[in-house]
Amino acid sequence: MENVYLKAEEKVIFSLRALYSGYGYSRYKMNKFEEYDLYVRNKDFLLSDAVITFTDTNGKLMALKPDVTLSIIKDSEDTPAAVRKLYYNENVYRISKTTGSFKEIMQVGLECIGDADDYCIYEVLMLAAKSLLTVSDSSLLAISHMGILSDIIDSLSLTGAQSAAVLRCVEEKNVHDLEAMCRACGVESASVQLLKDLIGIYGTPATVLPQLERILKNTCAWDSYKELEQTLALAEGSDIEQYLRIDFSIINDLKYYNGIIFKGFIEGIATAVLSGGQYDKLMRKMKRKTGAVGFALYLDQLERFYPREESYDTDYVLLYGENESAKAVCEAVRAYSKKGAVLAVRKLPGSLKYKTLLKLAGGKVVEADGIS
């Protein structure tokens, strides 16, 4: 029987845990806080550099964790030819997009760390798509490849600030500013056209990959294109294929991400609810020689998706007098617990929120309608 006591978000979490466990991912548990220095050294990787800090009894500056990935990398062993597959559902502490203030947010995700081959990368991509479908059939996973973008931008001999500005134009699909900036920097027209072509591309892998092959052949981004093609070929004929879209406006920080990146969207929510990709460059920054790929699903974004449920402490309150037998109370609780949660008490708590009040008198239950 479906657990009627769980909220919609809680049901999603249990479904995702079952999904990830089914592919051999082990659950990762971590402390609520880490040394603040871990986040200072990698603040650009975080969604926000606002972190709640406190001083520990030993004088170290600690932080309530705003991220899980950094802790997993820190705690992982750098073992060549081995892969560690982990999933998590952990509370993180960051500024909520909905309230603008610090909030404890449940985050669910997974990481594949180590010698992640083509299958591992596809498996994470596939599980990201299936995670979205666990929430809603009206969802899409938008995919890009940071290698293609970085190969092209690196060939332009721009400064760091100029490269970042070009990436912003690609992310915003801003062709006008891209052309103006490239002209000012002396970028060749062929390279400008290549970037414009990438900005204009959007669609299913079956539609877009032939276009990409045509425009990227004989360019510096060809090897990166082949990586993308090989990964997406594994999705052909699968149950996730129809939910995949290639979109080069999906951007992540070039200092941390390298290969395939992706973001997940659900109809009815304006912003991405899932984000992930390959972050081998972050691994190098943290002195690891192996690679990594993973994603996180931000459950706070789903508050906009699920209808607001009225909050109750219990479904039924069963009031019984001191003359009622324990057996009669047991039988009444047993009968109504098939329909929902039952609180059996002799006196009604004043602050309790409930759906229905029941009264046990003479061994019989009387339902009082309309009391809440």
Side-chain angles (χ1 to χ4, degrees):
M1 185 179 71
E2 183 181 5
N3 193 329
V4 296
Y5 312 124
L6 294 179
K7 294 181 179 179
E9 294 92 335
E10 294 171 324
K11 292 176 185 176
V12 167
I13 291 172
F14 278 100
S15 296
L16 292 175
R17 287 171 58 175
L19 172 64
Y20 305 151
S21 297
Y23 284 84
Y25 286 72
S26 302
R27 188 176 180 187
Y28 176 82
K29 289 288 292 179
M30 64 176 287
N31 293 326
K32 288 185 179 295
F33 42 84
E34 289 274 10
E35 290 188 27
Y36 178 60
D37 184 57
L38 174 66
Y39 304 121
V40 170
R41 286 184 278 110
N42 301 283
K43 63 181 181 179
D44 292 342
F45 181 74
L46 303 175
L47 293 179
S48 169
D49 58 3
V51 179
I52 301 174
T53 61
F54 65 95
T55 303
D56 204 352
T57 54
N58 59 9
K60 287 186 177 179
L61 187 60
M62 308 296 289
L64 289 177
K65 65 176 186 284
D67 178 80
V68 182
T69 299
L70 292 172
S71 295
I72 291 178
I73 297 174
K74 180 180 71 69
D75 295 340
S76 66
E77 295 181 1
D78 202 28
T79 307
V83 176
R84 193 177 181 203
K85 297 183 177 184
L86 304 168
Y87 79 88
Y88 59 86
N89 62 277
E90 295 279 346
N91 287 322
V92 295
Y93 303 86
R94 59 171 62 136
I95 294 177
S96 171
K97 292 182 179 179
T98 55
T99 64
S101 58
F102 275 107
K103 186 177 180 181
E104 185 178 46
I105 297 169
M106 175 59 73
Q107 181 174 306
V108 181
L110 58 80
E111 310 291 345
C112 182
I113 292 180
D115 188 15
D117 56 19
D118 290 344
Y119 170 74
C120 292
I121 294 168
Y122 169 72
E123 182 180 74
V124 171
L125 186 75
M126 175 266 294
L127 289 173
K130 286 183 177 289
S131 297
L132 292 172
L133 293 171
T134 298
V135 180
S136 171
D137 290 336
S138 299
S139 59
L140 291 174
L141 189 68
I143 303 164
S144 181
H145 195 290
M146 291 305 292
I148 292 175
L149 290 169
S150 63
D151 290 342
I152 295 171
I153 291 175
D154 288 348
S155 71
L156 305 181
S157 301
L158 302 175
T159 65
Q162 290 168 339
S163 296
V166 168
L167 269 180
R168 277 197 304 275
C169 290
V170 175
E171 183 176 21
E172 297 168 0
K173 294 184 179 288
N174 188 339
V175 175
H176 179 270
D177 286 356
L178 175 69
E179 289 182 321
M181 185 183 312
C182 288
R183 266 198 315 271
C185 296
V187 176
E188 294 181 358
S189 58
S191 297
V192 177
Q193 185 59 50
L194 187 55
L195 287 169
K196 287 169 61 179
D197 288 341
L198 288 180
I199 287 177
I201 278 179
Y202 177 85
T204 64
T207 301
V208 169
L209 286 175
Q211 298 177 45
L212 281 176
E213 181 178 20
R214 177 178 54 80
I215 67 174
L216 294 178
K217 200 163 189 177
N218 301 320
T219 72
C220 58
W222 179 248
D223 289 343
S224 294
Y225 161 74
K226 294 301 291 184
E227 285 183 9
L228 177 64
E229 181 192 45
Q230 289 165 12
T231 299
L232 293 180
L234 298 174
E236 291 179 7
S238 70
D239 55 353
I240 69 163
E241 183 179 17
Q242 63 179 307
Y243 301 100
L244 305 183
R245 299 291 185 273
I246 296 177
D247 182 354
F248 282 93
S249 69
I250 301 301
I251 301 290
N252 273 328
D253 198 316
L254 282 172
K255 296 192 296 294
Y256 298 99
Y257 292 88
N258 53 301
I260 283 181
I261 59 170
F262 46 86
K263 290 186 179 181
F265 299 88
I266 290 175
E267 185 178 355
I269 303 178
T271 57
V273 301
L274 181 148
S275 180
Q278 293 175 253
Y279 50 90
D280 295 353
K281 291 184 178 179
L282 173 62
M283 295 288 282
R284 303 292 174 272
K285 193 171 186 293
M286 296 183 69
K287 312 302 182 186
R288 300 295 195 274
K289 296 178 181 179
T290 52
V293 57
F295 65 83
L297 177 66
Y298 307 110
L299 294 186
D300 62 317
Q301 299 292 339
L302 300 184
E303 292 175 359
R304 311 175 196 181
F305 177 72
Y306 292 115
R308 185 173 294 277
E309 299 175 357
E310 191 168 357
S311 178
Y312 292 100
D313 298 306
T314 187
D315 295 311
Y316 299 98
V317 174
L318 176 67
L319 286 179
Y320 63 93
E322 58 183 17
N323 295 327
E324 298 298 327
S325 68
K327 182 179 180 181
V329 176
C330 284
E331 289 176 349
V333 170
R334 190 178 298 120
Y336 278 88
S337 63
K338 296 176 182 178
K339 305 175 184 179
V342 182
L343 172 66
V345 290
R346 285 185 176 178
K347 185 176 180 181
L348 184 64
S351 59
L352 192 72
K353 289 186 177 181
Y354 55 89
K355 294 181 180 178
T356 305
L357 179 66
L358 307 172
K359 292 184 179 180
L360 180 63
K364 295 183 179 180
V365 177
V366 178
E367 189 170 315
D369 293 330
I371 299 178
S372 52

